[in-house]
Amino acid sequence: MNKITIENNKLVIPDKVTIPFIEGDGIGGDITKAMRLVIDAAVNKIGKEIIWLEILAGEKAFRQTGQWLPAETLEKIKEYVVAIKGPLTTPIGKGIRSLNVTLRQDLDLYACVRPVVYFSGVESPLKHPEQLDVVIFRENTEDVYAGIEWEASTPEAKDVRDFLKTRFNISLHEETGIGIKPISRPASERLMRKAMHHAIENKRKSVTIVHKGNIMKYTEGAFRTWCYELAKREFADYIVLESELQGPAPSDKILINDRIADSMFQQLLLRPADYDVVVTTNLNGDYLSDACAAQVGGLGLAPGGNIGDFYAVFEATHGTAPKYTDLNKANPSSLILSAVMMLEYLGWQEAAKSVVTAMEKTIQSKIVTYDLARQIEGATEVGSLEFAKALINNL
Ligand code: NAP
């Protein structure tokens, strides 16, 4: 009952659907409450309903169950297929593995999808922030985030150093921590495939492969090669390669090109209009999505989704902003826009669009939370919940 099912390789969504949610730590409580109000209002307007089912992770889970990520949480996401989460605290340099990384890996949510688009009225460091409109597909399971690493002082790190010395005559200082950067063909290909489908379905004009293959040839460089090969093999009718172009790209084809990561940071600042869909490895994607969010006015407006073949967990790009915990102050827009991505994933485009339009209207009328209020002259600063209510009035 009220469950999403998978039939003939497609999601089947009931009109009244149960969606599990993780409230999140820090500002999670405030922004989740605001997000649910807005989404309920938008969804009810199109005659649908979401039944919210709370599942536990992070500090709340630890307080109630003694576990940071109870097994039941993962089981519930698998049972209900699509979920949404607030930010979770990640202790730096301690033994606990990042809960976010664990969720992504255990559910095989291999694509982290982050659209970045400008909202008129928001202050940005760019002269023409409206020219930036990209969707970043960041690989979510591999790279230096795979969690294969050993502290310098451990016997495991020593074993790896000894192996490198005896097998390859590579000498590393005895106080060297070791991390491994795995990049595989299947993981690179499935990410590129998802990005290509997105580009085709959303009539995007280009897909740019971002890598650091000039230095890391057999990981980042291989990623580039495998992405190109996949595009040529599976999407030949849809694409044109920049390297084979003489003049502008035909308007009915998707331009495929690649950029080295450091140059891509420059490009997105200097020529934002030239980029559209970006597909990249895990670490590059992490940096790039925050940088892009900053270009359009900050993390308070940056949504994201972790998406696998069917399972999907949507989440804001920012963290728990602990100093604003329970102050009804944080900007809920990032989580609301993540929920918009979730509505699109469910196929409820009309409700999704209405939320975006209402958010634009609310920001343009200068009713905003503290973060935007300090940038916008003459703004009326409101709390997280009051922002949600103003947005609902504009639906
Ligand atoms: P952060 O929580 O993103 O906060 C950094 C600053 O960004 C805040 O102090 C605030 O700036 C601004 N900010 C973030 N979210 C905002 C919002 N919704 N509204 C308004 N302003 C917002 O980054 P952090 O302090 O580095 O990380 C805190 C914790 O979150 C860490 O434990 C980290 O591991 C975790 N984290 C979790 C996730 C996740 O769950 N996906 C992602 C990133 C980080 P001002 O102080 O200038 O107002």
Side-chain angles (χ1 to χ4, degrees):
M1 276 281 281
N2 308 321
K3 274 185 198 166
I4 296 172
T5 50
I6 300 161
E7 287 168 32
N8 299 324
N9 259 337
K10 284 214 161 80
L11 295 181
V12 179
I13 318 288
D15 284 347
K16 190 172 169 181
V17 65
T18 299
I19 300 286
F21 72 97
I22 294 168
E23 188 179 83
D25 301 328
I27 57 173
D30 286 342
I31 60 174
T32 300
K33 220 177 285 154
M35 176 278 290
R36 283 175 51 187
L37 276 183
V38 169
I39 298 306
D40 281 344
V43 159
N44 291 344
K45 274 189 194 291
I46 60 160
K48 315 259 188 194
E49 187 181 339
I50 290 180
I51 303 161
W52 299 100
L53 171 73
E54 180 162 15
I55 50 174
L56 297 176
E59 288 163 4
K60 196 167 180 181
F62 191 71
R63 276 198 306 273
Q64 292 187 19
T65 69
Q67 286 175 306
W68 293 96
L69 185 60
E72 196 192 346
T73 293
L74 287 167
E75 279 155 25
K76 284 280 183 249
I77 299 176
K78 286 182 183 160
E79 186 179 342
Y80 290 98
V81 186
V82 174
I84 187 159
K85 66 174 275 291
L88 296 171
T89 308
T90 305
I92 296 173
K94 296 194 193 145
I96 308 167
R97 193 166 157 226
S98 157
L99 300 180
N100 296 310
V101 174
T102 308
L103 271 173
R104 290 167 195 165
Q105 289 187 350
D106 286 10
L107 296 165
D108 201 20
L109 305 172
Y110 58 83
C112 177
V113 183
R114 290 179 173 176
V116 186
V117 52
Y118 177 65
F119 279 82
S120 157
V122 176
E123 191 180 300
S124 145
L126 291 195
K127 279 194 192 140
H128 293 290
E130 73 286 352
Q131 290 181 356
L132 187 74
D133 178 2
V134 294
V135 184
I136 299 172
F137 281 74
R138 162 189 167 197
E139 207 290 322
N140 227 359
T141 61
E142 298 197 319
D143 203 347
V144 282
Y145 285 51
I148 313 171
E149 55 177 9
W150 299 280
E151 202 175 343
S153 59
T154 58
E156 290 84 358
K158 183 176 180 310
D159 280 354
V160 179
R161 289 193 300 265
D162 289 349
F163 171 76
L164 292 174
K165 178 70 197 158
T166 48
R167 180 74 174 77
F168 299 114
N169 197 26
I170 293 170
S171 299
L172 295 175
H173 191 279
E174 60 184 30
E175 284 182 287
T176 303
I178 311 253
I180 302 242
K181 178 182 173 80
I183 303 276
S184 71
R185 179 194 278 275
S188 307
E189 286 189 347
R190 65 183 181 171
L191 181 75
M192 183 64 176
R193 187 177 294 117
K194 210 176 244 321
M196 287 302 306
H197 281 302
H198 178 91
I200 293 165
E201 281 157 22
N202 293 280
K203 300 193 171 26
R204 290 285 188 159
K205 55 186 191 309
S206 69
V207 175
T208 303
I209 305 158
V210 177
H211 59 90
K212 191 71 189 156
N214 53 332
I215 306 295
M216 293 170 270
K217 297 186 195 310
Y218 308 118
T219 49
E220 297 270 332
F223 174 81
R224 169 186 178 274
T225 306
W226 291 327
C227 286
Y228 269 120
E229 284 177 3
L230 184 282
K232 285 192 272 188
R233 196 170 68 239
E234 294 186 11
F235 298 93
D237 293 345
Y238 294 92
I239 64 165
V240 59
L241 300 182
E242 186 177 73
S243 54
E244 290 171 1
L245 263 187
Q246 328 258 335
S251 59
D252 60 337
K253 299 278 184 201
I254 296 168
L255 175 71
I256 309 289
N257 53 18
D258 74 279
R259 297 287 180 270
I260 291 175
D262 40 335
S263 119
M264 188 63 177
F265 279 89
Q266 295 178 29
Q267 291 280 299
L268 283 168
L269 275 171
L270 300 174
R271 304 171 67 170
D274 287 359
Y275 296 94
D276 207 342
V277 174
V278 172
V279 53
T280 189
T281 49
N282 207 335
L283 180 62
N284 292 333
D286 201 358
Y287 295 156
L288 213 49
S289 38
D290 270 26
C292 284
Q295 285 181 214
V296 294
L299 286 174
L301 286 166
N306 298 291
I307 307 177
D309 280 334
F310 297 105
Y311 298 140
V313 178
F314 295 87
E315 65 172 340
T317 300
H318 60 71
T320 59
K323 64 183 171 187
Y324 300 119
T325 302
D326 294 334
L327 295 183
N328 186 36
K329 224 171 139 59
N331 189 348
S333 301
S334 173
L335 191 62
I336 293 172
L337 291 170
S338 306
V340 164
M341 289 177 70
M342 180 179 83
L343 296 181
E344 286 167 352
Y345 194 71
L346 300 179
W348 296 356
Q349 319 297 351
E350 204 187 323
K353 207 165 177 327
S354 73
V355 175
V356 175
T357 310
M359 186 178 288
E360 275 166 352
K361 238 169 146 180
T362 313
I363 294 173
Q364 275 164 21
S365 66
K366 303 192 178 188
I367 298 176
V368 287
T369 44
Y370 84 94
D371 52 321
L372 298 184
R374 66 189 172 192
Q375 303 174 354
I376 301 174
E377 223 185 283
T380 309
E381 181 183 326
V382 293
S384 322
L385 268 187
E386 291 66 37
F387 177 78
K389 287 177 187 160
L391 197 159
I392 291 168
N393 283 336
N394 284 327
L395 273 174

